[in-house]
Amino acid sequence: MFADEKSIENFQQLILECKKYLELQKEYTKLEIVEKLTILLSMLITVLILITLSMIALFYLFFALAYVLEPIVGNLAISFIIIAGISLLLIAVIIIFRRKLIISPMVNFLAKLFLNERQES
């Protein structure tokens, strides 16, 4: 009869330990989600800032190029038309190669972030 009481006590301890383990796993999962979302949001903010700054720089570079082209082509309006053509060409290149330039790197980053097991160091 003593062995039965001992086994019941051990079983109760096992249940308590399982509950603690599940609570800790829940907390660990929450922390991992927060960590991955933080990485994702920081990367998103970084990319948005870089894109914005790049567009501003490209805007001023195109203006400078238009004024450099003015003496060559003889008219400021024609140099702006040439710059517009260059812009449209860049847009077309980005659209044509969007899978290689945008989609694949984004998918690789997200897959690496969410699907890979955590590396123990």
Side-chain angles (χ1 to χ4, degrees), residues 41-57:
L41 287 175
S42 68
M43 184 61 73
L44 178 68
I45 290 170
T46 303
V47 167
L48 286 175
I49 290 171
L50 286 175
I51 287 174
T52 304
L53 292 175
S54 298
M55 288 179 67
I56 291 170

Side-chain angles (χ1 to χ4, degrees), residues 39-94:
I39 292 170
L40 185 63
L41 287 175
S42 68
M43 184 61 73
L44 178 68
I45 290 170
T46 303
V47 167
L48 286 175
I49 290 171
L50 286 175
I51 287 174
T52 304
L53 292 175
S54 298
M55 288 179 67
I56 291 170
L58 194 60
F59 177 76
Y60 283 112
L61 287 173
F62 279 160
F63 259 101
L65 184 59
Y67 284 107
V68 167
L69 286 176
E70 180 189 7
I72 298 170
V73 294
N75 192 349
L76 187 61
I78 294 174
S79 65
F80 277 116
I81 291 172
I82 293 171
I83 298 301
I86 292 171
S87 298
L88 290 174
L89 184 65
L90 282 174
I91 291 170
V93 167
I94 290 172

Side-chain angles (χ1 to χ4, degrees), residues 2 12 15 20 44 46 60 84 89 107 114-115:
F2 180 76
Q12 289 173 342
I15 290 175
K20 285 182 190 177
L44 178 68
T46 303
Y60 283 112
L89 184 65
V107 168
F114 287 107
L115 298 180

